[in-house]
CSV table of all heavy atoms in Angstrom, one decimal:
chain,number,residue,atom,x,y,z
P,102,SER,N,-16.6,32.2,58.8
P,102,SER,CA,-17.9,31.6,59.2
P,102,SER,C,-18.0,31.7,60.7
P,102,SER,O,-17.1,31.8,61.5
P,102,SER,CB,-18.0,30.2,58.8
P,102,SER,OG,-16.9,29.6,59.3
P,103,THR,N,-19.3,31.7,61.1
P,103,THR,CA,-19.6,31.6,62.5
P,103,THR,C,-20.9,31.0,62.8
P,103,THR,O,-21.7,30.7,61.8
P,103,THR,CB,-19.7,33.0,63.2
P,103,THR,OG1,-19.8,32.9,64.6
P,103,THR,CG2,-20.8,33.9,62.7
P,104,GLY,N,-21.2,30.6,64.0
P,104,GLY,CA,-22.4,29.9,64.3
P,104,GLY,C,-22.1,28.5,64.8
P,104,GLY,O,-21.1,28.3,65.4
P,105,PHE,N,-22.9,27.5,64.4
P,105,PHE,CA,-22.7,26.2,64.7
P,105,PHE,C,-21.6,25.8,63.8
P,105,PHE,O,-21.9,25.6,62.5
P,105,PHE,CB,-24.0,25.4,64.5
P,105,PHE,CG,-24.1,24.1,65.1
P,105,PHE,CD1,-23.5,23.8,66.4
P,105,PHE,CD2,-24.7,23.1,64.4
P,105,PHE,CE1,-23.6,22.6,66.9
P,105,PHE,CE2,-24.8,21.8,65.0
P,105,PHE,CZ,-24.2,21.5,66.2
P,106,LEU,N,-20.4,25.5,64.3
P,106,LEU,CA,-19.2,25.4,63.5
P,106,LEU,C,-19.3,24.2,62.5
P,106,LEU,O,-18.9,24.4,61.3
P,106,LEU,CB,-17.9,25.3,64.3
P,106,LEU,CG,-17.0,26.3,63.8
P,106,LEU,CD1,-17.4,27.7,64.0
P,106,LEU,CD2,-15.6,26.1,64.4
P,107,PRO,N,-19.8,23.0,62.9
P,107,PRO,CA,-19.9,22.0,61.8
P,107,PRO,C,-20.8,22.5,60.6
P,107,PRO,O,-20.5,22.1,59.5
P,107,PRO,CB,-20.4,20.8,62.5
P,107,PRO,CG,-20.1,21.1,64.0
P,107,PRO,CD,-20.1,22.6,64.1
P,108,ASP,N,-21.9,23.2,60.9
P,108,ASP,CA,-22.8,23.7,59.9
P,108,ASP,C,-21.9,24.5,59.0
P,108,ASP,O,-22.0,24.5,57.7
P,108,ASP,CB,-23.9,24.4,60.4
P,108,ASP,CG,-25.0,23.5,60.9
P,108,ASP,OD1,-24.7,22.3,61.2
P,108,ASP,OD2,-26.2,23.9,61.1
P,109,ALA,N,-21.1,25.4,59.6
P,109,ALA,CA,-20.4,26.4,58.8
P,109,ALA,C,-19.4,25.7,57.9
P,109,ALA,O,-19.2,26.2,56.8
P,109,ALA,CB,-19.6,27.3,59.9
P,110,ARG,N,-18.9,24.6,58.3
P,110,ARG,CA,-17.9,23.9,57.4
P,110,ARG,C,-18.6,23.4,56.2
P,110,ARG,O,-18.0,23.3,55.1
P,110,ARG,CB,-17.3,22.8,58.2
P,110,ARG,CG,-16.4,23.2,59.3
P,110,ARG,CD,-15.5,22.1,59.9
P,110,ARG,NE,-14.5,21.8,59.0
P,110,ARG,CZ,-13.2,22.3,59.3
P,110,ARG,NH1,-13.0,22.9,60.2
P,110,ARG,NH2,-12.2,22.0,58.3
P,111,VAL,N,-19.9,23.0,56.3
P,111,VAL,CA,-20.6,22.5,55.2
P,111,VAL,C,-20.8,23.7,54.2
P,111,VAL,O,-20.6,23.5,53.0
P,111,VAL,CB,-22.0,22.0,55.6
P,111,VAL,CG1,-22.7,21.6,54.3
P,111,VAL,CG2,-21.9,20.8,56.5
P,112,LEU,N,-21.0,24.8,54.7
P,112,LEU,CA,-21.1,26.0,53.8
P,112,LEU,C,-19.8,26.3,53.1
P,112,LEU,O,-19.7,26.5,51.9
P,112,LEU,CB,-21.5,27.3,54.6
P,112,LEU,CG,-22.9,27.4,55.2
P,112,LEU,CD1,-23.0,28.7,55.9
P,112,LEU,CD2,-23.9,27.1,54.2
P,113,VAL,N,-18.8,26.2,53.9
P,113,VAL,CA,-17.4,26.5,53.3
P,113,VAL,C,-17.1,25.4,52.2
P,113,VAL,O,-16.6,25.8,51.1
P,113,VAL,CB,-16.3,26.4,54.4
P,113,VAL,CG1,-14.9,26.3,53.8
P,113,VAL,CG2,-16.4,27.5,55.4
P,114,GLN,N,-17.5,24.2,52.5
P,114,GLN,CA,-17.2,23.1,51.5
P,114,GLN,C,-17.9,23.4,50.3
P,114,GLN,O,-17.5,23.2,49.1
P,114,GLN,CB,-17.6,21.8,52.1
P,114,GLN,CG,-17.2,20.6,51.3
P,114,GLN,CD,-15.8,20.5,51.0
P,114,GLN,OE1,-15.0,20.8,51.8
P,114,GLN,NE2,-15.4,20.2,49.8
P,115,ARG,N,-19.2,23.9,50.4
P,115,ARG,CA,-20.0,24.2,49.2
P,115,ARG,C,-19.4,25.4,48.4
P,115,ARG,O,-19.4,25.3,47.2
P,115,ARG,CB,-21.4,24.6,49.7
P,115,ARG,CG,-22.3,24.9,48.6
P,115,ARG,CD,-22.7,23.7,47.8
P,115,ARG,NE,-23.6,23.9,46.8
P,115,ARG,CZ,-24.3,23.0,46.1
P,115,ARG,NH1,-24.3,21.7,46.4
P,115,ARG,NH2,-25.1,23.4,45.0
P,116,VAL,N,-18.8,26.3,49.1
P,116,VAL,CA,-18.2,27.5,48.4
P,116,VAL,C,-17.1,26.9,47.6
P,116,VAL,O,-16.9,27.3,46.4
P,116,VAL,CB,-17.8,28.5,49.4
P,116,VAL,CG1,-17.0,29.6,48.7
P,116,VAL,CG2,-18.9,29.1,50.2
P,117,VAL,N,-16.2,26.0,48.2
P,117,VAL,CA,-15.1,25.4,47.5
P,117,VAL,C,-15.6,24.7,46.3
P,117,VAL,O,-14.9,25.0,45.2
P,117,VAL,CB,-14.4,24.5,48.5
P,117,VAL,CG1,-13.3,23.7,47.7
P,117,VAL,CG2,-13.8,25.2,49.6
P,118,GLU,N,-16.6,23.9,46.4
P,118,GLU,CA,-17.0,23.2,45.2
P,118,GLU,C,-17.6,24.1,44.2
P,118,GLU,O,-17.3,23.9,42.9
P,118,GLU,CB,-18.2,22.2,45.6
P,118,GLU,CG,-17.6,20.9,46.4
P,118,GLU,CD,-18.7,20.1,47.1
P,118,GLU,OE1,-19.9,20.3,46.8
P,118,GLU,OE2,-18.3,19.3,48.0
P,119,GLU,N,-18.4,25.0,44.5
P,119,GLU,CA,-18.9,26.0,43.5
P,119,GLU,C,-17.8,26.7,42.7
P,119,GLU,O,-17.8,26.8,41.6
P,119,GLU,CB,-19.8,27.0,44.1
P,119,GLU,CG,-21.2,26.4,44.6
P,119,GLU,CD,-22.1,26.2,43.5
P,119,GLU,OE1,-21.9,26.4,42.3
P,119,GLU,OE2,-23.3,25.7,43.9
P,120,ALA,N,-16.8,27.1,43.5
P,120,ALA,CA,-15.7,27.8,42.9
P,120,ALA,C,-14.9,27.0,41.9
P,120,ALA,O,-14.6,27.3,40.8
P,120,ALA,CB,-14.8,28.5,43.9
P,121,ALA,N,-14.6,25.7,42.4
P,121,ALA,CA,-13.9,24.7,41.5
P,121,ALA,C,-14.7,24.3,40.3
P,121,ALA,O,-14.2,24.2,39.2
P,121,ALA,CB,-13.5,23.6,42.3
P,122,ASP,N,-16.0,24.1,40.5
P,122,ASP,CA,-16.8,23.7,39.3
P,122,ASP,C,-16.8,24.8,38.2
P,122,ASP,O,-16.8,24.5,37.1
P,122,ASP,CB,-18.3,23.4,39.8
P,122,ASP,CG,-18.4,22.1,40.5
P,122,ASP,OD1,-17.4,21.4,40.5
P,122,ASP,OD2,-19.5,21.8,41.0
P,123,TRP,N,-17.0,26.0,38.6
P,123,TRP,CA,-17.0,27.1,37.7
P,123,TRP,C,-15.7,27.2,36.9
P,123,TRP,O,-15.7,27.3,35.7
P,123,TRP,CB,-17.2,28.5,38.5
P,123,TRP,CG,-17.4,29.6,37.6
P,123,TRP,CD1,-16.3,30.3,37.0
P,123,TRP,CD2,-18.6,30.1,37.2
P,123,TRP,NE1,-16.9,31.3,36.3
P,123,TRP,CE2,-18.3,31.3,36.3
P,123,TRP,CE3,-20.0,29.9,37.4
P,123,TRP,CZ2,-19.2,32.1,35.8
P,123,TRP,CZ3,-20.9,30.7,36.8
P,123,TRP,CH2,-20.5,31.8,36.0
P,124,GLN,N,-14.7,27.0,37.6
P,124,GLN,CA,-13.4,27.1,37.0
P,124,GLN,C,-13.2,25.9,36.0
P,124,GLN,O,-12.7,26.2,34.9
P,124,GLN,CB,-12.2,27.1,38.0
P,124,GLN,CG,-10.8,27.0,37.3
P,124,GLN,CD,-9.8,28.0,37.8
P,124,GLN,OE1,-10.0,28.6,38.8
P,124,GLN,NE2,-9.0,28.5,36.9
P,125,ASP,N,-13.6,24.7,36.4
P,125,ASP,CA,-13.6,23.6,35.5
P,125,ASP,C,-14.4,23.8,34.2
P,125,ASP,O,-14.0,23.5,33.1
P,125,ASP,CB,-14.0,22.4,36.3
P,125,ASP,CG,-13.8,21.1,35.5
P,125,ASP,OD1,-12.8,20.9,34.8
P,125,ASP,OD2,-14.9,20.3,35.5
P,126,GLN,N,-15.6,24.4,34.4
P,126,GLN,CA,-16.5,24.6,33.3
P,126,GLN,C,-16.1,25.7,32.4
P,126,GLN,O,-16.1,25.5,31.2
P,126,GLN,CB,-17.9,25.0,33.8
P,126,GLN,CG,-18.7,23.8,34.4
P,126,GLN,CD,-20.0,23.8,33.6
P,126,GLN,OE1,-20.4,24.7,33.0
P,126,GLN,NE2,-20.6,22.5,33.6
P,127,TYR,N,-15.7,26.8,32.9
P,127,TYR,CA,-15.6,28.1,32.1
P,127,TYR,C,-14.1,28.5,32.0
P,127,TYR,O,-13.7,29.5,31.2
P,127,TYR,CB,-16.3,29.2,32.7
P,127,TYR,CG,-17.8,28.9,32.7
P,127,TYR,CD1,-18.5,28.8,33.9
P,127,TYR,CD2,-18.5,28.7,31.5
P,127,TYR,CE1,-19.9,28.6,33.9
P,127,TYR,CE2,-19.9,28.5,31.5
P,127,TYR,CZ,-20.6,28.4,32.6
P,127,TYR,OH,-21.9,28.1,32.7
P,128,GLY,N,-13.2,27.8,32.7
P,128,GLY,CA,-11.8,28.3,32.6
P,128,GLY,C,-11.4,29.7,33.2
P,128,GLY,O,-10.4,30.2,32.8
P,129,SER,N,-12.4,30.2,34.0
P,129,SER,CA,-12.0,31.5,34.7
P,129,SER,C,-12.6,31.4,36.1
P,129,SER,O,-13.3,30.6,36.4
P,129,SER,CB,-12.8,32.6,33.8
P,129,SER,OG,-14.1,32.3,33.9
P,130,LYS,N,-12.1,32.4,36.8
P,130,LYS,CA,-12.6,32.5,38.2
P,130,LYS,C,-14.0,32.9,38.4
P,130,LYS,O,-14.4,33.7,37.6
P,130,LYS,CB,-11.7,33.5,39.0
P,130,LYS,CG,-10.2,33.2,39.0
P,130,LYS,CD,-9.9,32.0,39.9
P,130,LYS,CE,-8.5,31.7,40.0
P,130,LYS,NZ,-8.2,30.4,40.6
P,131,ILE,N,-14.7,32.3,39.3
P,131,ILE,CA,-16.1,32.6,39.5
P,131,ILE,C,-16.2,34.0,40.0
P,131,ILE,O,-15.6,34.4,41.0
P,131,ILE,CB,-16.8,31.6,40.5
P,131,ILE,CG1,-18.3,31.8,40.5
P,131,ILE,CG2,-16.1,31.6,41.9
P,131,ILE,CD1,-19.1,30.7,41.2
P,132,PRO,N,-17.1,34.9,39.4
P,132,PRO,CA,-17.3,36.2,40.0
P,132,PRO,C,-17.9,36.1,41.4
P,132,PRO,O,-18.9,35.3,41.6
P,132,PRO,CB,-18.3,36.8,39.0
P,132,PRO,CG,-18.2,36.0,37.7
P,132,PRO,CD,-17.9,34.6,38.2
P,133,PRO,N,-17.4,36.8,42.3
P,133,PRO,CA,-17.9,36.7,43.7
P,133,PRO,C,-19.3,36.9,43.9
P,133,PRO,O,-20.0,36.3,44.7
P,133,PRO,CB,-17.1,37.8,44.5
P,133,PRO,CG,-15.9,38.0,43.7
P,133,PRO,CD,-16.3,37.7,42.3
P,134,ASP,N,-20.0,37.7,43.0
P,134,ASP,CA,-21.4,38.0,43.1
P,134,ASP,C,-22.2,36.7,42.8
P,134,ASP,O,-23.1,36.4,43.5
P,134,ASP,CB,-21.8,39.0,42.2
P,134,ASP,CG,-21.2,40.4,42.4
P,134,ASP,OD1,-20.4,40.4,43.4
P,134,ASP,OD2,-21.5,41.3,41.7
P,135,VAL,N,-21.7,36.0,41.8
P,135,VAL,CA,-22.4,34.8,41.4
P,135,VAL,C,-22.2,33.7,42.5
P,135,VAL,O,-23.2,33.0,42.8
P,135,VAL,CB,-21.8,34.3,40.0
P,135,VAL,CG1,-22.4,33.0,39.6
P,135,VAL,CG2,-22.0,35.3,38.9
P,136,LEU,N,-21.0,33.7,43.0
P,136,LEU,CA,-20.8,32.7,44.1
P,136,LEU,C,-21.7,32.9,45.2
P,136,LEU,O,-22.3,32.0,45.9
P,136,LEU,CB,-19.3,32.8,44.5
P,136,LEU,CG,-18.9,31.9,45.5
P,136,LEU,CD1,-18.9,30.4,45.0
P,136,LEU,CD2,-17.5,32.1,46.0
P,137,GLY,N,-21.9,34.2,45.6
P,137,GLY,CA,-22.7,34.5,46.7
P,137,GLY,C,-24.2,34.1,46.5
P,137,GLY,O,-24.9,33.5,47.3
P,138,GLU,N,-24.6,34.3,45.2
P,138,GLU,CA,-26.0,34.0,44.9
P,138,GLU,C,-26.0,32.5,44.9
P,138,GLU,O,-27.2,32.0,45.3
P,138,GLU,CB,-26.4,34.5,43.5
P,138,GLU,CG,-26.7,35.9,43.4
P,138,GLU,CD,-26.9,36.5,42.0
P,138,GLU,OE1,-27.0,35.7,41.1
P,138,GLU,OE2,-26.7,37.7,41.8
P,139,ARG,N,-25.1,31.8,44.4
P,139,ARG,CA,-25.3,30.3,44.4
P,139,ARG,C,-25.3,29.7,45.9
P,139,ARG,O,-26.1,28.8,46.1
P,139,ARG,CB,-24.1,29.7,43.7
P,139,ARG,CG,-24.2,30.0,42.2
P,139,ARG,CD,-23.4,29.1,41.3
P,139,ARG,NE,-23.7,29.3,40.0
P,139,ARG,CZ,-23.3,28.5,39.0
P,139,ARG,NH1,-22.5,27.5,39.2
P,139,ARG,NH2,-23.7,28.8,37.7
P,140,LEU,N,-24.4,30.3,46.7
P,140,LEU,CA,-24.5,29.8,48.1
P,140,LEU,C,-25.7,30.2,48.7
P,140,LEU,O,-26.3,29.3,49.5
P,140,LEU,CB,-23.3,30.4,48.9
P,140,LEU,CG,-23.0,30.0,50.3
P,140,LEU,CD1,-22.8,28.4,50.3
P,140,LEU,CD2,-22.1,30.7,51.0
P,141,GLY,N,-26.3,31.3,48.3
P,141,GLY,CA,-27.6,31.7,48.9
P,141,GLY,C,-28.7,30.7,48.5
P,141,GLY,O,-29.6,30.3,49.3
P,142,SER,N,-28.6,30.2,47.2
P,142,SER,CA,-29.7,29.4,46.8
P,142,SER,C,-29.6,28.0,47.6
P,142,SER,O,-30.6,27.4,47.9
P,142,SER,CB,-29.5,29.0,45.3
P,142,SER,OG,-29.5,30.1,44.6
P,143,TYR,N,-28.3,27.7,47.8
P,143,TYR,CA,-28.0,26.4,48.6
P,143,TYR,C,-28.6,26.5,50.0
P,143,TYR,O,-29.3,25.6,50.4
P,143,TYR,CB,-26.5,26.2,48.6
P,143,TYR,CG,-26.1,24.9,49.3
P,143,TYR,CD1,-26.4,23.6,48.8
P,143,TYR,CD2,-25.4,25.0,50.5
P,143,TYR,CE1,-26.0,22.5,49.5
P,143,TYR,CE2,-25.0,23.8,51.2
P,143,TYR,CZ,-25.2,22.5,50.6
P,143,TYR,OH,-24.9,21.4,51.3
P,144,VAL,N,-28.3,27.6,50.6
P,144,VAL,CA,-28.7,27.8,52.0
P,144,VAL,C,-30.3,27.9,52.1
P,144,VAL,O,-30.9,27.4,53.0
P,144,VAL,CB,-28.1,29.1,52.6
P,144,VAL,CG1,-28.7,29.5,54.0
P,144,VAL,CG2,-26.6,28.9,52.7
Side-chain angles (χ1 to χ4, degrees):
Chain P
S102 55
T103 187
F105 196 41
L106 232 65
D108 282 23
R110 295 190 77 99
V111 177
L112 293 184
V113 169
Q114 188 55 38
R115 182 70 181 195
V116 176
V117 170
E118 280 167 20
E119 288 286 358
D122 284 354
W123 184 278
Q124 172 125 30
D125 184 40
Q126 281 239 341
Y127 299 116
S129 59
K130 297 288 182 191
I131 187 169
D134 298 2
V135 177
L136 185 64
E138 276 170 28
R139 293 200 168 189
L140 187 63
S142 305
Y143 180 69
V144 171

